[in-house]
Every structure is written in C-alpha cells, then in structure tokens.
Amino acid sequence: MSYKHSEETKRKISESLKGKKLSIETRIKKSLALKGKTYIDLHGEEKAKERKIKLSESLKGKNNPMYGKKMTEISIKKISIFNKGKKVSEKTRKKISEKLKGIVPYNKFTLQQITKKYPFFSKIEEMRYNPLKPGKKEIQVHCKNHNCPNSKEQGGWFTPSSIQLYERIRAVEKPYGMIENNFYCCEDCKNKCPIYNLRADPFKKLDINYTLIEHQQFREHVLNRDKNKCQYCGEKAEHVHHERPQKLEPFYALDPDFAWSCCKKCHYEKGHKDECSTGKLAKVICK
C-alpha cells in the first residue's frame, strides 16, 4: 500500500532537509533502491506524459544555437559512448540517420578539400596520400616528434584518425584552440616530445632586474620576519605575496616593506583577486 503525502507535508519535509548533507550510507541505499527504475516506474505514465509536454512547450520558439547545425565528429563519438548498450527504437534510428546524412569524417576529406577549407592548417602541416595505398587516397601527416625511434621507421609519416585531424585543425584555425595540440603517431612519441604539454615558451626573454640568489634571500627574509605564518589566516606560510604586482611595478620586486608571507590558498584567493588576478595581470602588456 503506497501512501501519498499532501503538498504541505512535502513542502515541510523539503524545508527541513534544506542545506543538510546525506550520509554515504543513505546515498548508497537510495541509489540501490532507484537502480534500473525509470521516471514512469517512480511517478506513473500520466506524470511522465505531463513532463514530456512541459519540456516540449518550454523549448518551443527558443533560439537554441545547436538547432539546425551539423554535428561534429566529437559530438557523434560522445553520443555513441553515452548510448552504448542501450536499445534504440526504429523511429529514433531513422531520426539519427537523417541527421548524420551528408556528414563526412575529417579523414575522408581529399587533400584539395582540406587545402581549400583550411588554408592556414595546410600551410603549417605536411600532408600526403599514403603511397602504399595509391587508389584509396588515405591522408597521412607528419609526426611532430619524428626523431623518436618509433616514428623513424616510417619516416615520421602516419595515418591520423578523424578525431586527431579535427583537433589539430581546431587548434590551428579556431581562436579558442590549443596550439600545442600536435600530431603524434604513438603515445611514446608524444611523451618523449620536449614541447608536449608545454605551458610556457622556454625561449621567451624575461626582463628581470634581479638574480635568483637575490630573490631567494628576499623570500627567506620575509618568511623569517613573519615567523613563517600566513598574514591572512595564521597557517604555515609557503608563498611571499607582493602588494605591488611585480609585472606592473618591478622596482618594488625585492622590497620587503611591500611584501608579506601567506599560504598558497590565501595567496590566490585573497592576494590575487579582482584587478590583481593572475589572469588579468597576464594580459597586461608593459611597454
């Protein structure tokens, strides 16, 4: 026999539980109780239909940027992973096949198509058709770490996957792409490459008016003066914070009167915030 709570009782229960965290045991029990159950099992067919109608009405007339756009190769892969092992109805299959019509994977493009569509990428990357498969027009690219022994056997050339091509094109052609996303024929080549996962330019000239020894002495002096205690929270200090940002006012970089000790957490949460945040200071170009 199932007992239904009144709306007032439900509201009282939700208010009493507001802000409270459930224990791990309760969470496990809840998840096991709900495992394999659908919305229809929990709320009935009528409620499920009502929910479906409400959702369709809420989306009506809204300018969703994804509507009417072709799916990318990555989106297709994500959907396939999400739907793995799930049974799809004939109606849904038909809809998916209609949506995917005309979408060509990146590794199925010809060299002429890539050169026309992505001119900048074509100038940067070396490309050719696989000489061992002349009739197939299989695109090959050059491994970034072609000095690696694994890559040397083929002279650095390998056939990339559609995802590899898409990611590299996005890195070069799009403003939000990551430029260090290069072509690698294997994991060994990637891990041994000196520029893989590099966050900064090692050859960039930094105009620093002090030596490393001078900076260490300054740091030790500030930490000893503050008895290795964070000046914000009183915990053990690991960092030295500059009141006047080094990038904007390098003259005060080694002045202990404009520096104090702080822990790592407080350094970024309280020291580098608002106008003095690390992200904003990085964008400043000093002349």
Side-chain angles (χ1 to χ4, degrees):
M1 186 183 171
S2 62
Y3 177 76
K4 283 187 176 180
H5 290 294
S6 66
E7 286 298 317
E8 198 179 332
T9 314
K10 280 180 183 177
R11 187 175 54 79
K12 280 178 182 178
I13 291 161
S14 65
E15 280 176 5
S16 65
L17 293 170
K18 214 173 187 182
K20 287 183 180 179
K21 285 184 179 179
L22 294 169
S23 65
I24 295 160
E25 267 183 62
T26 315
R27 281 179 190 175
I28 292 161
K29 278 179 186 176
K30 264 194 154 189
S31 64
L32 288 168
L34 297 169
K35 205 173 186 182
K37 287 186 179 180
T38 60
Y39 192 86
I40 295 164
D41 296 331
L42 295 166
H43 304 283
E45 278 187 31
E46 281 184 29
K47 280 236 173 182
K49 277 180 183 177
E50 277 177 36
R51 186 168 175 262
K52 206 173 184 181
I53 291 158
K54 276 181 183 178
L55 277 167
S56 63
E57 281 176 359
S58 66
L59 292 169
K60 258 180 189 176
K62 288 195 176 178
N63 296 322
N64 194 320
M66 290 306 289
Y67 293 157
K69 284 194 175 183
K70 283 188 178 181
M71 290 163 77
T72 62
E73 198 70 26
I74 284 176
S75 303
I76 296 160
K77 199 180 180 184
K78 277 180 182 176
I79 290 162
S80 64
I81 291 161
F82 178 75
N83 292 324
K84 211 174 187 181
K86 290 182 183 179
K87 285 184 178 180
V88 183
S89 65
E90 284 297 317
K91 198 180 179 182
T92 314
R93 277 180 191 172
K94 204 177 179 182
K95 277 182 181 178
I96 291 164
S97 64
E98 280 173 8
K99 264 190 177 182
L100 299 178
K101 258 180 189 175
I103 294 172
V104 182
Y106 278 76
N107 57 351
K108 299 292 177 188
F109 277 38
T110 62
L111 286 177
Q112 287 82 7
Q113 283 174 322
I114 290 174
T115 309
K116 195 179 178 181
K117 201 171 182 182
Y118 307 108
F120 189 58
F121 165 79
S122 305
K123 284 177 183 177
I124 289 170
E125 293 297 337
E126 288 180 87
M127 287 185 292
R128 70 171 190 186
Y129 287 125
N130 191 347
L132 302 172
K133 298 174 184 178
K136 282 194 174 181
K137 287 191 173 181
E138 188 183 278
I139 291 171
Q140 285 195 320
V141 292
H142 215 266
C143 179
K144 186 72 178 173
N145 190 18
H146 51 270
N147 295 320
C148 177
N150 291 1
S151 181
K152 244 183 182 177
E153 290 170 8
Q154 299 169 24
W157 292 99
F158 76 101
T159 306
S161 66
S162 185
I163 299 292
Q164 279 179 304
L165 268 168
Y166 167 78
E167 285 295 340
R168 183 60 184 147
I169 287 166
R170 189 179 73 155
V172 174
E173 294 279 344
K174 308 288 179 184
Y176 51 82
M178 293 174 76
I179 201 73
E180 66 269 13
N181 198 335
N182 294 297
F183 284 126
Y184 296 105
C185 63
C186 63
E187 285 295 312
D188 200 34
C189 279
K190 186 163 77 175
N191 296 327
K192 284 180 180 178
C193 184
I195 64 161
Y196 170 65
N197 217 13
L198 199 69
R199 298 290 173 204
D201 185 358
F203 303 106
K204 189 180 176 182
K205 287 181 181 179
L206 298 168
D207 298 321
I208 298 168
N209 301 319
Y210 53 83
T211 63
L212 184 65
I213 296 159
E214 284 173 337
H215 185 264
Q216 282 173 345
Q217 286 172 348
F218 154 77
R219 194 175 176 278
E220 281 171 26
H221 171 76
V222 175
L223 288 167
N224 290 333
R225 183 197 66 192
D226 297 333
K227 295 175 184 177
N228 290 297
K229 277 188 179 181
C230 176
Q231 299 303 294
Y232 291 109
C233 65
E235 292 293 317
K236 193 184 175 183
E238 299 166 304
H239 292 207
V240 171
H241 174 67
H242 290 81
E243 189 186 329
R244 299 190 175 190
Q246 293 178 80
K247 191 174 183 182
L248 302 179
E249 297 182 72
F251 181 77
Y252 297 99
L254 298 180
D255 193 335
D257 293 333
F258 296 99
W260 57 80
S261 309
C262 56
C263 65
K264 189 180 178 180
K265 193 184 176 184
C266 291
H267 193 193
Y268 296 107
E269 281 185 6
K270 294 169 185 176
H272 289 278
K273 61 176 185 177
D274 304 326
E275 291 301 313
C276 290
S277 66
T278 313
K280 283 193 177 178
L281 286 172
K283 288 174 187 175
V284 176
I285 300 162
C286 300
K287 290 179 181 179

